[in-house]
PDB file of all heavy atoms in Angstrom:
ATOM      1  N   SER A 903     193.867   3.385 -59.103  1.00 93.00           N
ATOM      2  CA  SER A 903     193.323   3.615 -57.765  1.00 93.00           C
ATOM      3  C   SER A 903     193.090   2.327 -56.953  1.00 93.00           C
ATOM      4  O   SER A 903     191.984   2.034 -56.527  1.00 93.00           O
ATOM      5  CB  SER A 903     192.013   4.391 -57.895  1.00 93.00           C
ATOM      6  OG  SER A 903     191.576   4.822 -56.638  1.00 93.00           O
ATOM      7  N   VAL A 904     194.160   1.584 -56.716  1.00 97.00           N
ATOM      8  CA  VAL A 904     194.091   0.366 -55.902  1.00 97.00           C
ATOM      9  C   VAL A 904     194.093   0.782 -54.430  1.00 97.00           C
ATOM     10  O   VAL A 904     194.896   1.626 -54.024  1.00 97.00           O
ATOM     11  CB  VAL A 904     195.289  -0.566 -56.217  1.00 97.00           C
ATOM     12  CG1 VAL A 904     195.308  -1.765 -55.286  1.00 97.00           C
ATOM     13  CG2 VAL A 904     195.237  -1.007 -57.675  1.00 97.00           C
ATOM     14  N   PRO A 905     193.208   0.199 -53.615  1.00 97.00           N
ATOM     15  CA  PRO A 905     193.147   0.575 -52.198  1.00 97.00           C
ATOM     16  C   PRO A 905     194.468   0.299 -51.459  1.00 97.00           C
ATOM     17  O   PRO A 905     195.202  -0.627 -51.807  1.00 97.00           O
ATOM     18  CB  PRO A 905     192.036  -0.314 -51.635  1.00 97.00           C
ATOM     19  CG  PRO A 905     191.236  -0.739 -52.817  1.00 97.00           C
ATOM     20  CD  PRO A 905     192.188  -0.786 -53.973  1.00 97.00           C
ATOM     21  N   ALA A 906     194.725   1.083 -50.433  1.00 97.00           N
ATOM     22  CA  ALA A 906     195.892   0.855 -49.579  1.00 97.00           C
ATOM     23  C   ALA A 906     195.804  -0.527 -48.947  1.00 97.00           C
ATOM     24  O   ALA A 906     194.721  -1.104 -48.826  1.00 97.00           O
ATOM     25  CB  ALA A 906     195.958   1.929 -48.496  1.00 97.00           C
ATOM     26  N   ARG A 907     196.973  -1.039 -48.529  1.00 98.00           N
ATOM     27  CA  ARG A 907     197.103  -2.336 -47.861  1.00 98.00           C
ATOM     28  C   ARG A 907     196.676  -3.497 -48.757  1.00 98.00           C
ATOM     29  O   ARG A 907     196.225  -4.532 -48.286  1.00 98.00           O
ATOM     30  CB  ARG A 907     196.346  -2.366 -46.541  1.00 98.00           C
ATOM     31  CG  ARG A 907     196.670  -1.208 -45.602  1.00 98.00           C
ATOM     32  CD  ARG A 907     198.138  -1.068 -45.242  1.00 98.00           C
ATOM     33  NE  ARG A 907     198.586  -2.222 -44.480  1.00 98.00           N
ATOM     34  CZ  ARG A 907     199.850  -2.626 -44.413  1.00 98.00           C
ATOM     35  NH1 ARG A 907     200.783  -1.989 -45.069  1.00 98.00           N
ATOM     36  NH2 ARG A 907     200.180  -3.675 -43.710  1.00 98.00           N
ATOM     37  N   SER A 908     196.844  -3.333 -50.065  1.00 98.00           N
ATOM     38  CA  SER A 908     196.564  -4.398 -51.019  1.00 98.00           C
ATOM     39  C   SER A 908     197.834  -5.190 -51.308  1.00 98.00           C
ATOM     40  O   SER A 908     198.946  -4.676 -51.188  1.00 98.00           O
ATOM     41  CB  SER A 908     196.031  -3.815 -52.338  1.00 98.00           C
ATOM     42  OG  SER A 908     194.771  -3.213 -52.147  1.00 98.00           O
ATOM     43  N   ALA A 909     197.655  -6.433 -51.709  1.00 98.00           N
ATOM     44  CA  ALA A 909     198.772  -7.285 -52.133  1.00 98.00           C
ATOM     45  C   ALA A 909     198.912  -7.156 -53.647  1.00 98.00           C
ATOM     46  O   ALA A 909     197.938  -7.323 -54.377  1.00 98.00           O
ATOM     47  CB  ALA A 909     198.510  -8.736 -51.743  1.00 98.00           C
ATOM     48  N   TRP A 910     200.117  -6.834 -54.104  1.00 98.00           N
ATOM     49  CA  TRP A 910     200.378  -6.567 -55.516  1.00 98.00           C
ATOM     50  C   TRP A 910     201.283  -7.634 -56.121  1.00 98.00           C
ATOM     51  O   TRP A 910     202.185  -8.150 -55.452  1.00 98.00           O
ATOM     52  CB  TRP A 910     201.112  -5.248 -55.674  1.00 98.00           C
ATOM     53  CG  TRP A 910     200.348  -4.007 -55.371  1.00 98.00           C
ATOM     54  CD1 TRP A 910     199.947  -3.560 -54.151  1.00 98.00           C
ATOM     55  CD2 TRP A 910     199.930  -3.021 -56.309  1.00 98.00           C
ATOM     56  NE1 TRP A 910     199.304  -2.353 -54.270  1.00 98.00           N
ATOM     57  CE2 TRP A 910     199.285  -1.998 -55.583  1.00 98.00           C
ATOM     58  CE3 TRP A 910     200.056  -2.891 -57.692  1.00 98.00           C
ATOM     59  CZ2 TRP A 910     198.753  -0.866 -56.187  1.00 98.00           C
ATOM     60  CZ3 TRP A 910     199.535  -1.769 -58.294  1.00 98.00           C
ATOM     61  CH2 TRP A 910     198.887  -0.775 -57.561  1.00 98.00           C
ATOM     62  N   ALA A 911     201.100  -7.881 -57.414  1.00 98.00           N
ATOM     63  CA  ALA A 911     202.042  -8.639 -58.229  1.00 98.00           C
ATOM     64  C   ALA A 911     202.538  -7.693 -59.313  1.00 98.00           C
ATOM     65  O   ALA A 911     201.737  -7.049 -59.990  1.00 98.00           O
ATOM     66  CB  ALA A 911     201.377  -9.852 -58.867  1.00 98.00           C
ATOM     67  N   ASP A 912     203.841  -7.587 -59.455  1.00 97.00           N
ATOM     68  CA  ASP A 912     204.441  -6.767 -60.517  1.00 97.00           C
ATOM     69  C   ASP A 912     205.070  -7.734 -61.517  1.00 97.00           C
ATOM     70  O   ASP A 912     206.213  -8.161 -61.360  1.00 97.00           O
ATOM     71  CB  ASP A 912     205.471  -5.808 -59.926  1.00 97.00           C
ATOM     72  CG  ASP A 912     206.009  -4.804 -60.944  1.00 97.00           C
ATOM     73  OD1 ASP A 912     205.663  -4.915 -62.135  1.00 97.00           O
ATOM     74  OD2 ASP A 912     206.782  -3.918 -60.537  1.00 97.00           O
ATOM     75  N   VAL A 913     204.295  -8.098 -62.526  1.00 97.00           N
ATOM     76  CA  VAL A 913     204.717  -9.079 -63.531  1.00 97.00           C
ATOM     77  C   VAL A 913     205.486  -8.338 -64.626  1.00 97.00           C
ATOM     78  O   VAL A 913     204.972  -7.401 -65.222  1.00 97.00           O
ATOM     79  CB  VAL A 913     203.503  -9.830 -64.115  1.00 97.00           C
ATOM     80  CG1 VAL A 913     203.941 -10.834 -65.162  1.00 97.00           C
ATOM     81  CG2 VAL A 913     202.721 -10.515 -62.993  1.00 97.00           C
ATOM     82  N   GLY A 914     206.716  -8.775 -64.854  1.00 93.00           N
ATOM     83  CA  GLY A 914     207.601  -8.049 -65.760  1.00 93.00           C
ATOM     84  C   GLY A 914     208.149  -6.827 -65.053  1.00 93.00           C
ATOM     85  O   GLY A 914     208.219  -5.742 -65.613  1.00 93.00           O
ATOM     86  N   CYS A 915     208.548  -7.010 -63.802  1.00 93.00           N
ATOM     87  CA  CYS A 915     208.928  -5.887 -62.933  1.00 93.00           C
ATOM     88  C   CYS A 915     210.193  -5.166 -63.378  1.00 93.00           C
ATOM     89  O   CYS A 915     210.451  -4.053 -62.908  1.00 93.00           O
ATOM     90  CB  CYS A 915     209.089  -6.359 -61.498  1.00 93.00           C
ATOM     91  SG  CYS A 915     210.452  -7.516 -61.237  1.00 93.00           S
ATOM     92  N   GLY A 916     210.960  -5.755 -64.258  1.00 89.00           N
ATOM     93  CA  GLY A 916     212.167  -5.100 -64.743  1.00 89.00           C
ATOM     94  C   GLY A 916     213.096  -4.713 -63.612  1.00 89.00           C
ATOM     95  O   GLY A 916     213.372  -5.509 -62.717  1.00 89.00           O
ATOM     96  N   THR A 917     213.539  -3.493 -63.616  1.00 91.00           N
ATOM     97  CA  THR A 917     214.492  -3.006 -62.618  1.00 91.00           C
ATOM     98  C   THR A 917     213.825  -2.466 -61.356  1.00 91.00           C
ATOM     99  O   THR A 917     214.490  -1.950 -60.476  1.00 91.00           O
ATOM    100  CB  THR A 917     215.379  -1.908 -63.238  1.00 91.00           C
ATOM    101  OG1 THR A 917     214.543  -0.850 -63.705  1.00 91.00           O
ATOM    102  CG2 THR A 917     216.222  -2.447 -64.381  1.00 91.00           C
ATOM    103  N   GLY A 918     212.505  -2.562 -61.281  1.00 92.00           N
ATOM    104  CA  GLY A 918     211.775  -2.152 -60.073  1.00 92.00           C
ATOM    105  C   GLY A 918     211.222  -0.743 -60.096  1.00 92.00           C
ATOM    106  O   GLY A 918     210.808  -0.232 -59.058  1.00 92.00           O
ATOM    107  N   ALA A 919     211.157  -0.108 -61.249  1.00 90.00           N
ATOM    108  CA  ALA A 919     210.670   1.272 -61.327  1.00 90.00           C
ATOM    109  C   ALA A 919     209.221   1.396 -60.844  1.00 90.00           C
ATOM    110  O   ALA A 919     208.917   2.245 -60.001  1.00 90.00           O
ATOM    111  CB  ALA A 919     210.801   1.802 -62.752  1.00 90.00           C
ATOM    112  N   LEU A 920     208.336   0.566 -61.361  1.00 93.00           N
ATOM    113  CA  LEU A 920     206.937   0.619 -60.925  1.00 93.00           C
ATOM    114  C   LEU A 920     206.821   0.219 -59.454  1.00 93.00           C
ATOM    115  O   LEU A 920     206.069   0.833 -58.695  1.00 93.00           O
ATOM    116  CB  LEU A 920     206.056  -0.279 -61.795  1.00 93.00           C
ATOM    117  CG  LEU A 920     204.586  -0.367 -61.391  1.00 93.00           C
ATOM    118  CD1 LEU A 920     203.916   1.002 -61.433  1.00 93.00           C
ATOM    119  CD2 LEU A 920     203.846  -1.355 -62.296  1.00 93.00           C
ATOM    120  N   THR A 921     207.569  -0.782 -59.064  1.00 94.00           N
ATOM    121  CA  THR A 921     207.559  -1.233 -57.676  1.00 94.00           C
ATOM    122  C   THR A 921     207.888  -0.084 -56.718  1.00 94.00           C
ATOM    123  O   THR A 921     207.225   0.097 -55.692  1.00 94.00           O
ATOM    124  CB  THR A 921     208.577  -2.371 -57.489  1.00 94.00           C
ATOM    125  OG1 THR A 921     208.223  -3.442 -58.353  1.00 94.00           O
ATOM    126  CG2 THR A 921     208.619  -2.863 -56.064  1.00 94.00           C
ATOM    127  N   GLN A 922     208.907   0.687 -57.044  1.00 93.00           N
ATOM    128  CA  GLN A 922     209.285   1.823 -56.199  1.00 93.00           C
ATOM    129  C   GLN A 922     208.150   2.829 -56.091  1.00 93.00           C
ATOM    130  O   GLN A 922     207.895   3.374 -55.011  1.00 93.00           O
ATOM    131  CB  GLN A 922     210.544   2.484 -56.739  1.00 93.00           C
ATOM    132  CG  GLN A 922     211.781   1.629 -56.551  1.00 93.00           C
ATOM    133  CD  GLN A 922     212.999   2.213 -57.225  1.00 93.00           C
ATOM    134  OE1 GLN A 922     212.899   2.931 -58.214  1.00 93.00           O
ATOM    135  NE2 GLN A 922     214.162   1.894 -56.696  1.00 93.00           N
ATOM    136  N   CYS A 923     207.452   3.054 -57.170  1.00 94.00           N
ATOM    137  CA  CYS A 923     206.318   3.991 -57.152  1.00 94.00           C
ATOM    138  C   CYS A 923     205.151   3.440 -56.345  1.00 94.00           C
ATOM    139  O   CYS A 923     204.499   4.188 -55.612  1.00 94.00           O
ATOM    140  CB  CYS A 923     205.881   4.326 -58.576  1.00 94.00           C
ATOM    141  SG  CYS A 923     207.087   5.312 -59.463  1.00 94.00           S
ATOM    142  N   ILE A 924     204.893   2.154 -56.454  1.00 97.00           N
ATOM    143  CA  ILE A 924     203.826   1.531 -55.655  1.00 97.00           C
ATOM    144  C   ILE A 924     204.150   1.692 -54.170  1.00 97.00           C
ATOM    145  O   ILE A 924     203.293   2.078 -53.373  1.00 97.00           O
ATOM    146  CB  ILE A 924     203.634   0.045 -56.022  1.00 97.00           C
ATOM    147  CG1 ILE A 924     203.137  -0.104 -57.452  1.00 97.00           C
ATOM    148  CG2 ILE A 924     202.686  -0.635 -55.036  1.00 97.00           C
ATOM    149  CD1 ILE A 924     203.195  -1.525 -57.996  1.00 97.00           C
ATOM    150  N   LEU A 925     205.383   1.406 -53.804  1.00 97.00           N
ATOM    151  CA  LEU A 925     205.797   1.540 -52.399  1.00 97.00           C
ATOM    152  C   LEU A 925     205.641   2.975 -51.905  1.00 97.00           C
ATOM    153  O   LEU A 925     205.196   3.208 -50.781  1.00 97.00           O
ATOM    154  CB  LEU A 925     207.244   1.074 -52.230  1.00 97.00           C
ATOM    155  CG  LEU A 925     207.463  -0.431 -52.326  1.00 97.00           C
ATOM    156  CD1 LEU A 925     208.954  -0.740 -52.489  1.00 97.00           C
ATOM    157  CD2 LEU A 925     206.893  -1.151 -51.112  1.00 97.00           C
ATOM    158  N   ALA A 926     205.991   3.936 -52.730  1.00 95.00           N
ATOM    159  CA  ALA A 926     205.961   5.342 -52.337  1.00 95.00           C
ATOM    160  C   ALA A 926     204.556   5.931 -52.297  1.00 95.00           C
ATOM    161  O   ALA A 926     204.282   6.818 -51.486  1.00 95.00           O
ATOM    162  CB  ALA A 926     206.834   6.164 -53.286  1.00 95.00           C
ATOM    163  N   ARG A 927     203.650   5.441 -53.137  1.00 95.00           N
ATOM    164  CA  ARG A 927     202.351   6.105 -53.305  1.00 95.00           C
ATOM    165  C   ARG A 927     201.141   5.321 -52.817  1.00 95.00           C
ATOM    166  O   ARG A 927     200.097   5.910 -52.581  1.00 95.00           O
ATOM    167  CB  ARG A 927     202.121   6.432 -54.775  1.00 95.00           C
ATOM    168  CG  ARG A 927     203.110   7.409 -55.361  1.00 95.00           C
ATOM    169  CD  ARG A 927     202.818   7.697 -56.814  1.00 95.00           C
ATOM    170  NE  ARG A 927     201.573   8.373 -57.029  1.00 95.00           N
ATOM    171  CZ  ARG A 927     201.388   9.694 -56.924  1.00 95.00           C
ATOM    172  NH1 ARG A 927     202.387  10.465 -56.595  1.00 95.00           N
ATOM    173  NH2 ARG A 927     200.206  10.230 -57.153  1.00 95.00           N
ATOM    174  N   CYS A 928     201.259   4.003 -52.690  1.00 97.00           N
ATOM    175  CA  CYS A 928     200.049   3.184 -52.528  1.00 97.00           C
ATOM    176  C   CYS A 928     199.927   2.453 -51.194  1.00 97.00           C
ATOM    177  O   CYS A 928     198.933   1.765 -50.987  1.00 97.00           O
ATOM    178  CB  CYS A 928     199.969   2.168 -53.662  1.00 97.00           C
ATOM    179  SG  CYS A 928     199.899   2.943 -55.291  1.00 97.00           S
ATOM    180  N   ASP A 929     200.904   2.547 -50.324  1.00 97.00           N
ATOM    181  CA  ASP A 929     200.882   1.847 -49.043  1.00 97.00           C
ATOM    182  C   ASP A 929     200.465   0.382 -49.204  1.00 97.00           C
ATOM    183  O   ASP A 929     199.482  -0.068 -48.624  1.00 97.00           O
ATOM    184  CB  ASP A 929     199.954   2.567 -48.056  1.00 97.00           C
ATOM    185  CG  ASP A 929     200.052   1.998 -46.653  1.00 97.00           C
ATOM    186  OD1 ASP A 929     201.116   1.454 -46.287  1.00 97.00           O
ATOM    187  OD2 ASP A 929     199.041   2.074 -45.917  1.00 97.00           O
ATOM    188  N   PRO A 930     201.240  -0.389 -49.996  1.00 98.00           N
ATOM    189  CA  PRO A 930     200.859  -1.783 -50.230  1.00 98.00           C
ATOM    190  C   PRO A 930     201.122  -2.670 -49.017  1.00 98.00           C
ATOM    191  O   PRO A 930     202.008  -2.373 -48.205  1.00 98.00           O
ATOM    192  CB  PRO A 930     201.774  -2.194 -51.383  1.00 98.00           C
ATOM    193  CG  PRO A 930     203.008  -1.388 -51.160  1.00 98.00           C
ATOM    194  CD  PRO A 930     202.495  -0.052 -50.656  1.00 98.00           C
ATOM    195  N   LEU A 931     200.383  -3.741 -48.909  1.00 98.00           N
ATOM    196  CA  LEU A 931     200.648  -4.769 -47.906  1.00 98.00           C
ATOM    197  C   LEU A 931     201.907  -5.534 -48.306  1.00 98.00           C
ATOM    198  O   LEU A 931     202.776  -5.807 -47.478  1.00 98.00           O
ATOM    199  CB  LEU A 931     199.453  -5.717 -47.809  1.00 98.00           C
ATOM    200  CG  LEU A 931     199.587  -6.876 -46.831  1.00 98.00           C
ATOM    201  CD1 LEU A 931     199.676  -6.339 -45.410  1.00 98.00           C
ATOM    202  CD2 LEU A 931     198.391  -7.806 -46.979  1.00 98.00           C
ATOM    203  N   SER A 932     201.985  -5.874 -49.590  1.00 98.00           N
ATOM    204  CA  SER A 932     203.132  -6.608 -50.117  1.00 98.00           C
ATOM    205  C   SER A 932     203.172  -6.438 -51.634  1.00 98.00           C
ATOM    206  O   SER A 932     202.162  -6.095 -52.248  1.00 98.00           O
ATOM    207  CB  SER A 932     203.022  -8.096 -49.773  1.00 98.00           C
ATOM    208  OG  SER A 932     201.856  -8.641 -50.383  1.00 98.00           O
ATOM    209  N   ILE A 933     204.370  -6.678 -52.197  1.00 98.00           N
ATOM    210  CA  ILE A 933     204.539  -6.689 -53.653  1.00 98.00           C
ATOM    211  C   ILE A 933     205.465  -7.842 -53.991  1.00 98.00           C
ATOM    212  O   ILE A 933     206.547  -7.969 -53.417  1.00 98.00           O
ATOM    213  CB  ILE A 933     205.158  -5.389 -54.200  1.00 98.00           C
ATOM    214  CG1 ILE A 933     204.434  -4.151 -53.699  1.00 98.00           C
ATOM    215  CG2 ILE A 933     205.172  -5.416 -55.734  1.00 98.00           C
ATOM    216  CD1 ILE A 933     205.140  -2.849 -54.058  1.00 98.00           C
ATOM    217  N   ALA A 934     205.040  -8.678 -54.923  1.00 98.00           N
ATOM    218  CA  ALA A 934     205.884  -9.743 -55.456  1.00 98.00           C
ATOM    219  C   ALA A 934     206.229  -9.373 -56.889  1.00 98.00           C
ATOM    220  O   ALA A 934     205.349  -9.274 -57.736  1.00 98.00           O
ATOM    221  CB  ALA A 934     205.150 -11.080 -55.410  1.00 98.00           C
ATOM    222  N   GLY A 935     207.509  -9.128 -57.139  1.00 98.00           N
ATOM    223  CA  GLY A 935     207.964  -8.780 -58.476  1.00 98.00           C
ATOM    224  C   GLY A 935     208.593  -9.986 -59.152  1.00 98.00           C
ATOM    225  O   GLY A 935     209.310 -10.756 -58.514  1.00 98.00           O
ATOM    226  N   ILE A 936     208.313 -10.133 -60.441  1.00 97.00           N
ATOM    227  CA  ILE A 936     208.890 -11.242 -61.198  1.00 97.00           C
ATOM    228  C   ILE A 936     209.279 -10.750 -62.591  1.00 97.00           C
ATOM    229  O   ILE A 936     208.566  -9.951 -63.193  1.00 97.00           O
ATOM    230  CB  ILE A 936     207.911 -12.446 -61.278  1.00 97.00           C
ATOM    231  CG1 ILE A 936     208.604 -13.687 -61.809  1.00 97.00           C
ATOM    232  CG2 ILE A 936     206.668 -12.098 -62.067  1.00 97.00           C
ATOM    233  CD1 ILE A 936     207.794 -14.964 -61.593  1.00 97.00           C
ATOM    234  N   ASP A 937     210.434 -11.187 -63.052  1.00 94.00           N
ATOM    235  CA  ASP A 937     210.904 -10.845 -64.391  1.00 94.00           C
ATOM    236  C   ASP A 937     211.797 -11.976 -64.881  1.00 94.00           C
ATOM    237  O   ASP A 937     212.472 -12.634 -64.078  1.00 94.00           O
ATOM    238  CB  ASP A 937     211.687  -9.525 -64.382  1.00 94.00           C
ATOM    239  CG  ASP A 937     211.776  -8.905 -65.766  1.00 94.00           C
ATOM    240  OD1 ASP A 937     212.510  -9.432 -66.622  1.00 94.00           O
ATOM    241  OD2 ASP A 937     211.076  -7.901 -65.988  1.00 94.00           O
ATOM    242  N   LYS A 938     211.805 -12.189 -66.164  1.00 93.00           N
ATOM    243  CA  LYS A 938     212.602 -13.262 -66.749  1.00 93.00           C
ATOM    244  C   LYS A 938     214.080 -12.892 -66.849  1.00 93.00           C
ATOM    245  O   LYS A 938     214.938 -13.761 -66.917  1.00 93.00           O
ATOM    246  CB  LYS A 938     212.048 -13.603 -68.129  1.00 93.00           C
ATOM    247  CG  LYS A 938     212.453 -14.947 -68.637  1.00 93.00           C
ATOM    248  CD  LYS A 938     211.653 -15.315 -69.860  1.00 93.00           C
ATOM    249  CE  LYS A 938     211.970 -16.728 -70.286  1.00 93.00           C
ATOM    250  NZ  LYS A 938     211.213 -17.102 -71.470  1.00 93.00           N
ATOM    251  N   ALA A 939     214.392 -11.617 -66.829  1.00 91.00           N
ATOM    252  CA  ALA A 939     215.770 -11.149 -67.009  1.00 91.00           C
ATOM    253  C   ALA A 939     216.491 -11.068 -65.655  1.00 91.00           C
ATOM    254  O   ALA A 939     216.190 -10.197 -64.842  1.00 91.00           O
ATOM    255  CB  ALA A 939     215.778  -9.790 -67.702  1.00 91.00           C
ATOM    256  N   GLU A 940     217.432 -11.956 -65.439  1.00 91.00           N
ATOM    257  CA  GLU A 940     218.178 -11.986 -64.179  1.00 91.00           C
ATOM    258  C   GLU A 940     218.911 -10.671 -63.921  1.00 91.00           C
ATOM    259  O   GLU A 940     219.003 -10.216 -62.781  1.00 91.00           O
ATOM    260  CB  GLU A 940     219.175 -13.148 -64.170  1.00 91.00           C
ATOM    261  CG  GLU A 940     219.932 -13.289 -62.868  1.00 91.00           C
ATOM    262  CD  GLU A 940     219.048 -13.510 -61.648  1.00 91.00           C
ATOM    263  OE1 GLU A 940     218.144 -14.356 -61.691  1.00 91.00           O
ATOM    264  OE2 GLU A 940     219.273 -12.818 -60.633  1.00 91.00           O
ATOM    265  N   GLY A 941     219.414 -10.026 -64.980  1.00 90.00           N
ATOM    266  CA  GLY A 941     220.093  -8.745 -64.807  1.00 90.00           C
ATOM    267  C   GLY A 941     219.172  -7.674 -64.257  1.00 90.00           C
ATOM    268  O   GLY A 941     219.587  -6.836 -63.447  1.00 90.00           O
ATOM    269  N   PHE A 942     217.918  -7.679 -64.689  1.00 91.00           N
ATOM    270  CA  PHE A 942     216.939  -6.714 -64.171  1.00 91.00           C
ATOM    271  C   PHE A 942     216.615  -7.013 -62.709  1.00 91.00           C
ATOM    272  O   PHE A 942     216.529  -6.105 -61.883  1.00 91.00           O
ATOM    273  CB  PHE A 942     215.666  -6.734 -64.998  1.00 91.00           C
ATOM    274  CG  PHE A 942     215.806  -6.144 -66.368  1.00 91.00           C
ATOM    275  CD1 PHE A 942     214.730  -6.152 -67.228  1.00 91.00           C
ATOM    276  CD2 PHE A 942     216.986  -5.584 -66.827  1.00 91.00           C
ATOM    277  CE1 PHE A 942     214.818  -5.597 -68.502  1.00 91.00           C
ATOM    278  CE2 PHE A 942     217.101  -5.042 -68.085  1.00 91.00           C
ATOM    279  CZ  PHE A 942     216.006  -5.047 -68.927  1.00 91.00           C
ATOM    280  N   ILE A 943     216.428  -8.279 -62.390  1.00 94.00           N
ATOM    281  CA  ILE A 943     216.119  -8.671 -61.011  1.00 94.00           C
ATOM    282  C   ILE A 943     217.261  -8.284 -60.074  1.00 94.00           C
ATOM    283  O   ILE A 943     217.029  -7.779 -58.975  1.00 94.00           O
ATOM    284  CB  ILE A 943     215.800 -10.179 -60.920  1.00 94.00           C
ATOM    285  CG1 ILE A 943     214.493 -10.498 -61.650  1.00 94.00           C
ATOM    286  CG2 ILE A 943     215.751 -10.659 -59.476  1.00 94.00           C
ATOM    287  CD1 ILE A 943     213.262  -9.850 -61.037  1.00 94.00           C
ATOM    288  N   ALA A 944     218.490  -8.502 -60.512  1.00 92.00           N
ATOM    289  CA  ALA A 944     219.642  -8.125 -59.685  1.00 92.00           C
ATOM    290  C   ALA A 944     219.648  -6.625 -59.401  1.00 92.00           C
ATOM    291  O   ALA A 944     219.887  -6.200 -58.269  1.00 92.00           O
ATOM    292  CB  ALA A 944     220.944  -8.550 -60.371  1.00 92.00           C
ATOM    293  N   THR A 945     219.356  -5.816 -60.418  1.00 91.00           N
ATOM    294  CA  THR A 945     219.286  -4.366 -60.230  1.00 91.00           C
ATOM    295  C   THR A 945     218.140  -4.000 -59.296  1.00 91.00           C
ATOM    296  O   THR A 945     218.290  -3.162 -58.402  1.00 91.00           O
ATOM    297  CB  THR A 945     219.128  -3.650 -61.578  1.00 91.00           C
ATOM    298  OG1 THR A 945     220.266  -3.949 -62.392  1.00 91.00           O
ATOM    299  CG2 THR A 945     219.000  -2.149 -61.413  1.00 91.00           C
ATOM    300  N   ALA A 946     216.981  -4.623 -59.475  1.00 93.00           N
ATOM    301  CA  ALA A 946     215.825  -4.334 -58.615  1.00 93.00           C
ATOM    302  C   ALA A 946     216.129  -4.668 -57.165  1.00 93.00           C
ATOM    303  O   ALA A 946     215.807  -3.885 -56.261  1.00 93.00           O
ATOM    304  CB  ALA A 946     214.609  -5.119 -59.107  1.00 93.00           C
ATOM    305  N   ARG A 947     216.769  -5.802 -56.934  1.00 95.00           N
ATOM    306  CA  ARG A 947     217.097  -6.190 -55.555  1.00 95.00           C
ATOM    307  C   ARG A 947     218.047  -5.202 -54.904  1.00 95.00           C
ATOM    308  O   ARG A 947     217.963  -4.948 -53.702  1.00 95.00           O
ATOM    309  CB  ARG A 947     217.696  -7.589 -55.536  1.00 95.00           C
ATOM    310  CG  ARG A 947     216.671  -8.681 -55.759  1.00 95.00           C
ATOM    311  CD  ARG A 947     217.319 -10.044 -55.774  1.00 95.00           C
ATOM    312  NE  ARG A 947     216.311 -11.094 -55.911  1.00 95.00           N
ATOM    313  CZ  ARG A 947     216.524 -12.253 -56.499  1.00 95.00           C
ATOM    314  NH1 ARG A 947     217.727 -12.530 -57.005  1.00 95.00           N
ATOM    315  NH2 ARG A 947     215.565 -13.142 -56.587  1.00 95.00           N
ATOM    316  N   ARG A 948     218.967  -4.654 -55.674  1.00 93.00           N
ATOM    317  CA  ARG A 948     219.913  -3.667 -55.128  1.00 93.00           C
ATOM    318  C   ARG A 948     219.243  -2.324 -54.860  1.00 93.00           C
ATOM    319  O   ARG A 948     219.626  -1.604 -53.938  1.00 93.00           O
ATOM    320  CB  ARG A 948     221.073  -3.448 -56.102  1.00 93.00           C
ATOM    321  CG  ARG A 948     222.142  -4.498 -56.073  1.00 93.00           C
ATOM    322  CD  ARG A 948     223.394  -4.065 -56.818  1.00 93.00           C
ATOM    323  NE  ARG A 948     223.160  -3.461 -58.112  1.00 93.00           N
ATOM    324  CZ  ARG A 948     223.080  -4.127 -59.268  1.00 93.00           C
ATOM    325  NH1 ARG A 948     223.196  -5.434 -59.293  1.00 93.00           N
ATOM    326  NH2 ARG A 948     222.876  -3.483 -60.393  1.00 93.00           N
ATOM    327  N   SER A 949     218.253  -1.972 -55.659  1.00 91.00           N
ATOM    328  CA  SER A 949     217.701  -0.620 -55.569  1.00 91.00           C
ATOM    329  C   SER A 949     216.421  -0.511 -54.745  1.00 91.00           C
ATOM    330  O   SER A 949     216.025   0.598 -54.390  1.00 91.00           O
ATOM    331  CB  SER A 949     217.452  -0.055 -56.968  1.00 91.00           C
ATOM    332  OG  SER A 949     216.509  -0.846 -57.662  1.00 91.00           O
ATOM    333  N   VAL A 950     215.779  -1.618 -54.422  1.00 92.00           N
ATOM    334  CA  VAL A 950     214.535  -1.578 -53.651  1.00 92.00           C
ATOM    335  C   VAL A 950     214.727  -2.394 -52.376  1.00 92.00           C
ATOM    336  O   VAL A 950     214.758  -3.612 -52.416  1.00 92.00           O
ATOM    337  CB  VAL A 950     213.338  -2.136 -54.456  1.00 92.00           C
ATOM    338  CG1 VAL A 950     212.060  -2.029 -53.635  1.00 92.00           C
ATOM    339  CG2 VAL A 950     213.189  -1.430 -55.789  1.00 92.00           C
TER     340      VAL A 950
END
């Protein structure tokens, strides 16, 4: 239950699954996603 218009960090964001849900449900101000796997980041950038 994070308040709307909050700034989020998605550490270990993978392919962006949680990020997509945050965007759809939480009305975030911003989200910074980070993951060590370049392949996951590439997929996240394409899908979000």
Side-chain angles (χ1 to χ4, degrees):
S903 190
V904 174
R907 308 303 295 156
S908 294
W910 291 71
D912 187 354
V913 179
C915 66
T917 58
L920 177 60
T921 300
Q922 290 173 332
C923 291
I924 295 168
L925 288 166
R927 297 180 65 83
C928 300
D929 188 27
L931 178 65
S932 62
I933 309 172
I936 192 166
D937 200 288
K938 200 169 186 180
E940 183 59 47
F942 289 178
I943 293 296
T945 299
R947 286 178 177 150
R948 280 193 314 271
S949 62
V950 182

